[in-house]
Amino acid sequence: MNWYHWLIEILPAAYLARDLPSDYADYPLLVPAGHADIPVFGKSLALLAEGRKVLAVPHKAVALDDLLVMDEIVQGPMNLVEGRWPVLEDYAQNVALLLA
């Protein structure tokens, strides 16, 4: 994972988690193992986590009793078609949330 993915995929989920109903207050944020240990990643996450527990998830399957998944705010093409370069219409983003 690089800074772009951290900024566009992980941090918006932490931002959205701040406004979850109180029923989900004890749900931790799950982040890829080792990434929150990178100083700039960890500090940026701490700004948005607001005391919510952060769990590092290993790069393998994990068992969870319950999981809340937030939609991504940016979507791009999953599989590129050989010989066809992506066009603007292949992408979507929630501009208001990105600006927030």
Side-chain angles (χ1 to χ4, degrees):
M1 178 175 299
N2 59 34
W3 176 247
Y4 169 84
H5 292 289
W6 186 259
L7 185 66
I8 299 299
E9 296 171 0
I10 301 296
L11 292 183
Y15 176 78
L16 290 172
R18 300 178 336 168
D19 294 327
L20 288 172
S22 60
D23 294 350
Y24 302 103
D26 62 341
Y27 278 47
L29 295 174
L30 305 179
V31 298
H35 286 77
D37 298 332
I38 298 169
V40 70
F41 286 14
K43 288 178 183 177
S44 61
L45 182 60
L47 289 172
L48 297 176
E50 294 185 339
R52 186 179 293 270
K53 187 175 181 178
V54 175
L55 293 178
V57 178
H59 298 282
K60 61 180 181 177
V62 293
L64 301 168
D65 291 329
D66 203 5
L67 178 68
L68 176 69
V69 177
M70 296 190 217
D71 291 339
E72 294 181 15
I73 65 167
V74 174
Q75 295 180 4
M78 285 294 295
N79 296 311
L80 299 177
V81 177
E82 187 174 344
R84 180 182 173 272
W85 196 255
V87 294
L88 185 59
E89 291 77 22
D90 292 333
Y91 297 88
Q93 62 273 338
N94 184 324
V95 175
L97 184 56
L98 283 171
L99 291 173

